[in-house]
Amino acid sequence: MRDESMKKEKKISKLRKRYNQRKELYRLLKEYAPDILESQNFRSTRNYIQHGTMPVHRHCIDVAQQSILISRFLGIPCSERDLIRGALLHDYFLYDWHDKTRENYQSLHGFYHPGIALKNASREYNLTLREKDIIKKHMWPLTVVPPRCREAWIVTTADKYCSLLETLRLHKGTGKSRVRVTG
């Protein structure tokens, strides 16, 4: 009986820890990127699918959260603000890359979309050098030139991890993102 109660307590403790961790991650998103989260163009990424059934919007939020988790787990000091903002904008290409009528349909999307995302993000936001590096180089090694800052390396890793889960359908998109900004 005592073992059962200890197992239950451990499970509850793990759930509580995970809940608090997610709450902290959402707080960071809202603190560092309310302008991005409120942007009509960023919201429009809910209409585009990234991998499997995952909307680009949800993918970018997941990459931002995984980037923070990787940075903290490995103890890599970095600018969390640049990390989050760069991760949210890394796939800011604003089109459906699955559309067969598009000029750069699928096969070349991986090579070209970082530049398109950077161009779109630069039009709307005053980007730091780190944010630009994150957006431009997140597809390394397809981008040939490797990232220059640790934030870009972290986002590149988080993006590949999230993309793998989405492609293998281990993380399914719902089309809904839980981050809501009010104010």
Side-chain angles (χ1 to χ4, degrees), residues 50-104:
Q50 181 62 324
H51 309 105
T53 59
M54 182 66 67
V56 173
H57 188 268
R58 178 80 245 159
H59 167 76
C60 291
I61 289 171
D62 288 347
V63 170
Q65 292 176 334
Q66 286 301 320
S67 295
I68 291 293
L69 292 174
I70 289 168
S71 167
R72 290 181 175 182
F73 180 77
L74 296 176
I76 300 170
C78 67
S79 166
E80 288 188 340
R81 181 185 188 280
D82 288 344
L83 188 71
I84 287 171
R85 295 178 67 81
L88 289 175
L89 296 170
H90 82 279
D91 280 340
Y92 202 58
F93 44 84
L94 305 175
Y95 60 83
D96 179 3
W97 68 272
H98 300 89
D99 181 357
K100 294 178 183 179
T101 62
R102 281 196 54 84
E103 184 180 325
N104 297 330

Side-chain angles (χ1 to χ4, degrees), residues 92 113-124 127 135:
Y92 202 58
H113 84 270
I116 295 168
L118 179 58
K119 187 175 168 184
N120 290 339
S122 295
R123 272 189 270 213
E124 285 187 53
L127 302 174
I135 298 165

Side-chain angles (χ1 to χ4, degrees), residues 7-162:
K7 283 182 184 177
K8 189 175 182 178
E9 281 182 40
K10 280 186 180 180
K11 189 174 183 177
I12 290 170
S13 177
K14 275 186 178 179
L15 287 171
R16 191 171 286 130
K17 183 178 177 183
R18 188 169 180 190
Y19 170 78
N20 288 333
Q21 185 180 56
R22 287 197 73 82
K23 193 172 164 183
E24 167 66 4
L25 292 170
Y26 284 125
R27 185 193 67 74
L28 289 171
L29 287 173
K30 290 177 183 179
E31 178 182 341
Y32 293 133
D35 56 331
I36 295 171
L37 295 170
E38 292 171 357
S39 156
Q40 194 59 41
N41 277 336
F42 185 73
R43 288 180 181 187
S44 78
T45 62
R46 291 177 176 149
N47 301 320
Y48 308 123
I49 298 299
Q50 181 62 324
H51 309 105
T53 59
M54 182 66 67
V56 173
H57 188 268
R58 178 80 245 159
H59 167 76
C60 291
I61 289 171
D62 288 347
V63 170
Q65 292 176 334
Q66 286 301 320
S67 295
I68 291 293
L69 292 174
I70 289 168
S71 167
R72 290 181 175 182
F73 180 77
L74 296 176
I76 300 170
C78 67
S79 166
E80 288 188 340
R81 181 185 188 280
D82 288 344
L83 188 71
I84 287 171
R85 295 178 67 81
L88 289 175
L89 296 170
H90 82 279
D91 280 340
Y92 202 58
F93 44 84
L94 305 175
Y95 60 83
D96 179 3
W97 68 272
H98 300 89
D99 181 357
K100 294 178 183 179
T101 62
R102 281 196 54 84
E103 184 180 325
N104 297 330
Y105 168 68
Q106 280 187 345
S107 62
L108 300 177
H109 172 75
F111 293 96
Y112 293 119
H113 84 270
I116 295 168
L118 179 58
K119 187 175 168 184
N120 290 339
S122 295
R123 272 189 270 213
E124 285 187 53
Y125 306 101
N126 185 16
L127 302 174
T128 66
L129 291 175
R130 283 188 184 114
E131 291 166 352
K132 289 177 184 178
D133 195 51
I134 290 167
I135 298 165
K136 189 174 181 179
K137 314 255 184 76
H138 79 274
M139 283 301 290
W140 185 83
L142 292 182
T143 54
V144 184
V145 179
R148 295 186 67 186
C149 64
R150 62 186 68 162
E151 291 83 357
W153 280 107
I154 292 168
V155 171
T156 298
T157 303
D159 181 46
K160 298 210 179 340
Y161 173 72
C162 290

